[in-house]
Amino acid sequence: QNGHHPLPVLERPLPPPLEPLAPGAVAPHEIRLLGQFSVLRNGTPTAVPLGHAAQALKVVALFGRISVDELAELLWPGAEPGVGTRRLRNILWRIKSSSGDLLRRYDNFICLEEGVLTDVAVFEEAASRAFKTSQGGEERHALAREAVRLYGGELLPSDRYADWATGPREALAQIRLQLLDLMLAQALDSGNTQEALTLLEDLIEADPYEERYYLQLATIHLEAGNRSRVRTALGRCERMLADLGVDPSKKFQDFVHTLARD
């Protein structure tokens, strides 16, 4: 923190349903926050604001809207009353000058301009369709795969230590994990061993401290008769548990004992 007032606690509202674009169409304005920060106009990268203007654009793009007072406090914590709000007028002008009509002030809020898409909102909408579909099997799997494809990477990696981005970053990463889990269940149900192995490696990379992924990996290799890969998967899990300083679960120990007995 900075020794001044505490930063406001920001909460992201549930995103409204997005109107799908026509095939081949691109949004007039798009703000990308996943994997990198960039602004696109009609599908082509354009200039992005710098400094406080960039931070303001990132915050509003992520949260959809934020009160003038909250945004001013976040950008200039501890500033005298009224100073931050006066500075915001200059910030909005700088954003418009460099990147176009992306933000607008509405009453006492700063909002995204209508028609501005963010990759976060597109990803969340795609994930919601995958989780909520009444279709099963391949249809759900295809929706989940498309949502995972739209996850461009960690949220705002250049702002990894910004308090306001921590909660949303973890939540978005968790949504991706849930999608991969959904795809894994379908791959296992349909007997698609190769895809299941690929998904498990993706899951382990994203969440290396989840024991069950290693056990599932070892189980698939055991069913295929590849005992050397079973031992490799178990060894990876044991090293992970040692890093955490925790003991293996009973399920893990039973698996190892059964393997040794057999």
Side-chain angles (χ1 to χ4, degrees):
Q1 302 296 340
N2 44 49
H4 298 291
H5 303 296
L7 292 176
V9 177
L10 303 179
E11 294 184 2
R12 294 185 65 228
L14 293 175
L18 295 173
E19 291 293 331
L21 295 172
V26 296
H29 290 287
E30 181 184 356
I31 302 172
R32 293 185 177 174
L33 307 171
L34 296 169
Q36 61 175 349
F37 171 57
S38 61
V39 178
L40 283 76
R41 183 182 300 170
N42 296 319
T44 301
T46 188
V48 296
L50 303 175
H52 285 94
Q55 289 299 101
L57 182 56
K58 292 173 185 177
V59 170
V60 180
L62 180 59
F63 292 91
R65 75 172 193 169
I66 182 174
S67 75
V68 169
D69 293 337
E70 282 184 306
L71 185 55
E73 175 64 16
L74 190 148
L75 294 174
W76 301 285
E80 292 297 320
V83 171
T85 55
R86 289 195 296 273
R87 289 173 176 171
L88 273 179
R89 287 196 292 271
N90 177 263
I91 288 292
L92 294 176
W93 178 83
R94 286 167 55 193
I95 292 172
K96 183 173 182 176
S97 297
S98 64
S99 306
D101 294 318
L102 301 176
L103 304 183
R104 63 187 172 97
R105 181 166 179 171
Y106 177 74
D107 289 339
N108 197 42
F109 290 91
I110 306 296
C111 314
L112 279 178
E113 189 61 83
E114 288 187 16
V116 177
L117 281 181
T118 70
D119 57 351
V120 168
V122 171
F123 166 68
E124 289 180 319
E125 177 67 15
S128 178
R129 287 196 297 270
F131 293 137
K132 293 180 179 179
T133 181
S134 58
Q135 302 294 321
E138 285 300 320
E139 178 68 19
R140 181 180 296 239
H141 188 271
L143 289 171
R145 184 190 298 115
E146 174 61 12
V148 169
R149 184 188 69 80
L150 292 169
Y151 183 85
E154 177 188 349
L155 174 72
L156 293 170
S158 61
D159 296 273
R160 188 167 290 127
Y161 303 107
D163 291 343
W164 52 267
T166 300
R169 180 180 296 113
E170 293 173 354
L172 291 165
Q174 188 61 37
I175 291 173
R176 177 176 178 266
L177 280 174
Q178 292 169 354
L179 290 164
L180 291 172
D181 256 329
L182 188 157
M183 294 172 64
L184 175 62
Q186 171 60 23
L188 292 173
D189 287 345
S190 62
N192 191 337
T193 301
Q194 190 55 52
E195 182 179 20
L197 290 173
T198 299
L199 288 166
L200 281 167
E201 291 295 349
D202 289 342
L203 284 161
I204 288 172
E205 181 180 3
D207 188 6
Y209 298 112
E210 180 57 61
E211 184 189 80
R212 67 185 173 93
Y213 297 145
Y214 299 92
L215 280 176
Q216 286 177 298
L217 194 64
T219 299
I220 292 174
H221 287 312
L222 183 62
E223 291 172 351
N226 196 330
R227 296 177 73 88
S228 65
R229 293 193 176 182
V230 173
R231 289 191 291 272
T232 298
L234 296 178
R236 290 168 66 187
C237 187
E238 288 170 337
R239 289 191 293 275
M240 175 274 295
L241 294 171
D243 287 343
L244 284 178
V246 300
D247 294 326
S249 68
K250 184 177 185 304
K251 186 174 183 179
F252 181 92
Q253 295 179 50
D254 290 344
F255 186 96
V256 172
H257 292 157
T258 300
L259 185 69
R261 185 171 63 248
D262 292 344

